[in-house]
């Protein structure tokens, strides 16, 4: 953690909806004229797309059918922790991008599924990470300790699978069988490395559908925000103005002393109300520290 160079990390698994949360933060950054150095979690994968297929096939031959991007062996978690530590100390570091598709790859004149070269971070007010491992802790790394604000995005598991299935089939051309195979292969790493992070986050957002999602593998569409609630859990409710949030978010209610439930359509509003003062507090603390 760093007062002079704060770090915000958004953590969620593939299909969880971290991109939606990221957009909400970006709205705050633009409105408050805050420059964020954006870090994409996929850029810390160890292998490019072609290499990953080859390594996964080699692991399968050895009897390991659960090699996945969710686990530490397929990621450069030491480099991720090093970046967080360096940025917290100096406000500097290096980043690269993982090019998911032809649209992203074209400006770099590279193939999809490859990494761009490492480059120095531009000058920034804070570091903003979105990915799988923002709060990960293993026997070798502790990424979570370096972040000033950790946010978990954790839809209930059937909704997460629906979102992944529809995204991967529609946007990436995968078959249902291929996506299901991926889900099964990742499950041990999901349990051991993804899920534990949500006990370390400061705030969790969990979307809960109010429609039947009992068989996610036959779902034809993703439940809409209006067909769901969002459960927002604060690890430390001290300083959270719950009466204000309840008055500003229509039909919201408290389910526990540290949990507020809001209609799904009000999720972005809730994020703006919750995170704007948190971000401004980080920036004010930064200004005071830099002035000393």
């Amino acid at each position: 953690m760093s007062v002079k160079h704060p770090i915000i990390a958004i953590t969620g698994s593939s299909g969880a909806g971290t991109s939606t949360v990221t957009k909400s933060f970006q709205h705050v950054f633009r409105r408050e004229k805050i420059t964020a150095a954006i870090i994409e979690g996929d850029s810390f994968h160890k292998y490019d797309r072609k290499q990953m297929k080859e390594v996964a096939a080699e692991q399968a031959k050895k009897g390991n059918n659960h090699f996945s991007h969710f686990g530490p062996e397929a990621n450069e978690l030491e480099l991720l922790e090093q970046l967080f530590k360096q940025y917290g100390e100096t406000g500097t570091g290096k980043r690269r991008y993982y090019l998911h598709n032809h649209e992203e790859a074209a400006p770099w004149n590279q193939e999809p599924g490859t990494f761009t070269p490492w480059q120095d971070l531009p000058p920034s007010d804070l570091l903003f990470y979105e990915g799988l491992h923002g709060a990960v802790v293993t026997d070798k790394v502790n990424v979570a300790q370096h972040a000033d604000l950790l946010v978990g995005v954790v839809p209930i598991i059937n909704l997460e699978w629906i979102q992944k299935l529809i995204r991967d089939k529609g946007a990436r051309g995968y078959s249902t069988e291929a996506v299901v195979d991926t889900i099964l292969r990742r499950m041990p790493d999901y349990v051991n490395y993804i899920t534990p992070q949500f006990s370390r986050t400061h705030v969790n957002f969990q979307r809960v559908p109010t429609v039947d999602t009992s068989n996610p593998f036959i779902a034809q569409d993703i439940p809409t925000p209006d067909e769901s609630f969002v459960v927002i859990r604060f690890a430390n409710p001290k300083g959270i103005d719950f009466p204000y949030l309840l008055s500003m978010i229509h039909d919201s209610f408290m389910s526990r002393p540290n949990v507020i439930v809001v209609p799904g359509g009000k999720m972005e509003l809730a994020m703006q109300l919750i995170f704007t003062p948190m971000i401004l507090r980080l920036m004010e603390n930064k200004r005071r520290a830099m002035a000393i």
Side-chain angles (χ1 to χ4, degrees):
M1 300 176 70
S2 170
V3 175
K4 291 184 178 180
H5 308 290
I7 296 171
I8 299 173
I10 311 299
T11 296
S13 71
S14 177
T18 54
S19 298
T20 301
V21 181
T22 295
K23 289 176 183 177
S24 186
F25 271 89
Q26 289 173 333
H27 288 322
V28 178
F29 296 153
R30 282 195 295 269
R31 187 175 66 241
E32 303 299 335
K33 296 179 173 58
I34 295 170
T35 301
I38 307 297
I39 301 297
E40 299 174 356
D42 289 354
S43 67
F44 283 86
H45 290 335
K46 183 174 291 187
Y47 307 106
D48 65 24
R49 187 173 296 164
K50 181 181 178 181
Q51 292 170 335
M52 184 64 180
K53 290 180 180 178
E54 293 172 351
V55 174
E58 291 173 3
Q59 290 293 319
K61 289 179 181 178
K62 296 177 182 178
N64 177 12
N65 294 312
H66 301 293
F67 186 78
S68 81
H69 280 133
F70 285 5
E73 294 82 5
N75 292 279
E76 301 284 9
L77 297 183
E78 291 86 356
L79 290 181
L80 178 60
E81 182 177 23
Q82 180 182 323
L83 170 64
F84 277 27
K85 185 175 186 294
Q86 179 180 345
Y87 188 88
E89 293 173 349
T90 67
T92 64
K94 290 183 179 293
R95 70 178 174 189
R96 65 179 179 180
Y97 297 101
Y98 179 76
L99 306 173
H100 295 87
N101 51 46
H102 288 284
E103 184 179 358
E104 292 180 6
W108 295 90
N109 196 28
Q110 293 184 207
E111 291 296 317
T114 61
F115 299 103
T116 66
W118 291 99
Q119 296 180 327
D120 290 332
L121 289 174
S124 58
D125 298 313
L126 55 80
L127 187 76
F128 182 87
Y129 168 93
E130 176 208 346
L132 296 171
H133 299 111
V136 74
V137 176
T138 72
D139 58 348
K140 295 182 179 179
V141 302
N142 184 342
V143 176
Q145 67 178 326
H146 301 288
D148 299 272
L149 175 58
L150 288 169
V151 180
V153 185
V154 202
I156 64 168
I157 193 70
N158 279 17
L159 176 57
E160 186 174 306
W161 289 346
I162 289 172
Q163 292 180 163
K164 178 171 177 56
L165 280 157
I166 291 178
R167 182 200 65 185
D168 284 4
K169 290 193 296 181
R172 300 181 181 178
Y174 296 135
S175 66
T176 298
E177 292 75 18
V179 180
V180 172
D181 284 345
T182 299
I183 290 171
L184 293 173
R185 176 166 47 82
R186 290 175 169 179
M187 189 53 63
D189 286 338
Y190 182 91
V191 172
N192 292 317
Y193 298 105
I194 302 298
T195 301
Q197 295 182 91
F198 305 122
S199 296
R200 306 180 191 113
T201 46
H202 300 110
V203 188
N204 280 340
F205 284 78
Q206 185 172 50
R207 192 152 77 93
V208 182
T210 55
V211 296
D212 182 15
T213 60
S214 52
N215 185 350
F217 305 110
I218 63 169
Q220 298 299 308
D221 49 42
I222 299 171
T224 67
D226 289 335
E227 295 174 328
S228 58
F229 283 100
V230 179
V231 178
I232 307 171
R233 187 274 297 174
F234 298 87
N236 181 6
K238 184 178 180 180
I240 304 300
D241 192 344
F242 288 111
Y244 171 72
L245 294 175
L246 291 169
S247 68
M248 292 295 291
I249 306 172
H250 186 62
D251 289 333
S252 62
F253 60 93
M254 302 285 295
S255 61
R256 286 188 175 180
N258 66 330
V259 176
I260 184 170
V261 182
V262 306
K266 301 292 185 180
M267 180 174 171
E268 185 169 348
L269 172 62
M271 289 180 182
Q272 296 282 321
L273 294 172
I274 291 166
F275 291 126
T276 297
M278 290 183 177
I279 295 169
L280 292 179
R281 193 175 305 121
L282 288 175
M283 298 310 299
E284 178 60 27
N285 292 339
K286 174 186 174 77
R287 281 190 286 270
R288 290 179 179 177
M290 298 293 279
I292 296 175

